[in-house]
């Protein structure tokens, strides 16, 4: 095989694993845009390497991507961004290849918005070990080699990470799709009707809500009692001319799955103007997240344009 043919073959090998690498980077960073940047950096490393000496390309590339992500997580800029109260994971529409494998509970859970938020409480090493083991099934020996740590350290990191994630799983757990949609439809009906007491009844006693303020506030807006959340939702879901101008028109409201969980999308034409996602627990809503900053919705909006949605829940908001 001549040099040009070898380069083409190696580029094809990289492309064959691109989505898997992007899904790992997304789980580690919580941002599809950052994940794509990391994968492109990994491709440059791949091109520069003596590929004839790489015995297992998948493991080599996984190690490169993982360590590039850890470098980003440990950077001063990332620490500032993630501690100023303005960070949320980038939501992705189900079916996006960046979400990666979803064959097990652990794999599906690892891209849920709840767990991506929970990952912020873990150290970068704990986060990496947990994801490499639970979502990608690497052995502790393989993980130790990738991260430059001992197997016992890998096991300890996993134990600590699992303990926190398991606590979150007990709170939420998987909900069957029909029940999830019914609860969200009830929430939407109560919000549009202005029935605050019905909204409160749909929320868990320790429910929380967070909004990115459409990216205008510079920090996240947080609410932590059912009564306060219901009041904010009722006000936020009341349409006004000003809100429609901000959205760029009169949105239709669609039901969708985002990061494996129920969500409603406010769509003007083929443009997603905002989304609300939900975590459910015990048949009620435990977490509400509102996202309307265009920078957080760019990829989801692009995916939606290629999507064939069913009829909207509300044709005109």
């Amino acid at each position: 095989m001549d040099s040009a043919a070898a380069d083409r073959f190696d580029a094809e090998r990289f492309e064959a694993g691109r989505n898997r690498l992007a899904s790992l980077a997304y789980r580690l960073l919580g941002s599809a845009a950052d994940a794509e940047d990391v994968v492109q950096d990994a491709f440059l490393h791949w091109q520069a390497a003596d590929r004839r000496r790489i015995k297992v390309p998948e493991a080599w590339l996984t190690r490169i991507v993982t360590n590039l992500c850890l470098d980003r997580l440990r950077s001063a800029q990332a620490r500032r961004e993630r501690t100023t109260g303005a960070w949320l994971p980038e939501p992705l529409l189900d079916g996006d290849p960046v979400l990666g494998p979803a064959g097990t509970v652990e794999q599906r859970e690892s891209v849920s918005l709840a767990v991506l938020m929970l990952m912020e409480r873990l150290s970068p090493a704990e986060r990496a070990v947990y994801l490499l083991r639970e979502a990608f099934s690497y052995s502790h020996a393989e993980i130790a080699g990738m991260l430059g740590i001992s197997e016992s350290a890998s096991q300890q990191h996993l134990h600590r990470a699992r303990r926190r994630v398991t606590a979150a799983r007990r709170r939420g757990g998987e909900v069957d799709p029909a029940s999830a949609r019914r609860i969200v439809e009830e929430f939407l009906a109560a919000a549009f009707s202005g029935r605050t007491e019905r909204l409160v009844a749909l929320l868990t006693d320790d429910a929380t809500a967070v909004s990115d303020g459409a990216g205008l506030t510079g920090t996240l807006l947080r609410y932590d009692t059912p009564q306060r959340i219901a009041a904010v939702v009722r006000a936020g879901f009341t349409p006004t001319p000003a809100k429609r101008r901000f959205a760029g028109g009169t949105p239709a409201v669609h039901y969708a799955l985002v990061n494996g969980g129920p969500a409603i999308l406010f769509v003007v034409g083929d443009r997603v103007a905002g989304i609300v996602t939900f975590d459910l627990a015990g048949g009620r809503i435990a977490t509400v997240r509102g996202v309307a900053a265009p920078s957080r919705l760019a990829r989801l909006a692009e995916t939606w344009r290629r999507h064939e949605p069913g009829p909207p829940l509300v044709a005109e908001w």
Side-chain angles (χ1 to χ4, degrees):
M1 185 183 296
D2 61 31
S3 176
D7 286 345
R8 285 195 300 272
F9 175 73
D10 287 337
E12 289 169 0
R13 280 202 295 178
F14 182 91
E15 290 303 321
R18 178 182 284 272
N19 285 341
R20 185 186 64 84
L21 295 172
S23 71
L24 170 60
Y26 173 71
R27 284 167 162 83
L28 283 165
L29 299 173
S31 164
D34 289 347
E36 289 181 331
D37 288 345
V38 163
V39 171
Q40 190 57 37
D41 288 346
F43 180 64
L44 298 178
H45 282 268
W46 173 248
Q47 285 185 310
D50 183 353
R51 297 183 293 277
R52 294 169 300 178
R53 301 181 64 181
I54 299 174
K55 295 181 180 179
V56 186
E58 178 184 305
W60 188 90
L61 287 165
T62 299
R63 176 176 63 83
I64 293 296
V65 165
T66 299
N67 284 285
L68 286 170
C69 288
L70 293 183
D71 288 344
R72 287 194 174 220
L73 289 170
R74 290 167 177 151
S75 71
Q77 179 181 354
R79 288 198 300 271
R80 285 195 301 272
E81 289 174 350
R82 291 169 182 259
T83 58
T84 56
W87 189 85
L88 271 178
E90 181 181 352
L92 298 178
L93 196 67
D94 271 27
D96 191 314
V98 170
L99 290 173
T104 67
V105 170
E106 290 78 13
Q107 288 172 339
R108 292 190 295 275
E109 181 183 70
S110 66
V111 289
S112 70
L113 294 174
V115 169
L116 290 175
M117 290 291 288
L118 181 65
M119 288 290 157
E120 292 301 292
R121 303 180 192 175
L122 305 182
S123 71
E126 289 169 350
R127 189 183 309 201
V129 170
Y130 177 81
L131 292 171
L132 289 168
R133 180 69 179 152
E134 298 291 274
F136 294 90
S137 302
Y138 284 101
S139 69
H140 282 293
E142 291 170 316
I143 295 169
M146 291 177 191
L147 302 183
I149 59 178
S150 67
E151 287 188 51
S152 62
S154 176
Q155 292 165 351
Q156 290 166 7
H157 286 316
L158 179 64
H159 176 72
R160 287 192 293 268
R162 269 182 176 167
R163 188 169 54 201
R164 294 184 178 182
V165 174
T166 299
R169 185 186 300 134
R170 282 200 298 269
R171 171 183 169 84
E174 294 199 306
V175 181
D176 71 87
S179 295
R181 178 163 184 147
R182 174 183 56 77
I183 293 167
V184 169
E185 288 179 345
E186 288 181 15
F187 173 91
L188 192 63
F192 284 159
S193 72
R195 293 161 53 203
T196 303
E197 71 284 353
R198 181 54 187 150
L199 282 170
V200 170
L202 288 168
L203 298 166
T204 61
D205 293 341
D206 59 349
T208 60
V210 61
S211 167
D212 69 356
L216 301 176
T217 63
T219 188
L220 299 180
L221 306 175
R222 300 178 185 275
Y223 312 97
D224 58 4
T225 68
Q227 292 75 18
R228 179 62 175 145
I229 294 167
V232 168
V233 166
R234 184 184 62 183
F237 276 62
T238 301
T240 66
K243 290 175 186 174
R244 287 171 173 154
R245 284 195 299 272
F246 183 82
T250 301
V253 182
H254 287 266
Y255 181 83
L257 293 176
V258 170
N259 289 70
I264 53 176
L265 277 60
F266 291 80
V267 182
V268 179
D270 63 353
R271 182 175 58 82
V272 178
I275 72 169
V276 179
T277 70
F278 304 88
D279 296 341
L280 307 180
R284 293 193 289 171
I285 295 167
T287 310
V288 182
R289 297 181 195 84
V291 181
S295 61
R296 284 196 177 98
L297 294 177
R299 185 180 178 95
L300 183 148
E302 179 184 342
T303 307
W304 180 262
R305 283 192 287 271
R306 301 193 299 268
H307 180 68
E308 294 185 8
L313 298 177
V314 176
E316 291 187 352
W317 178 71

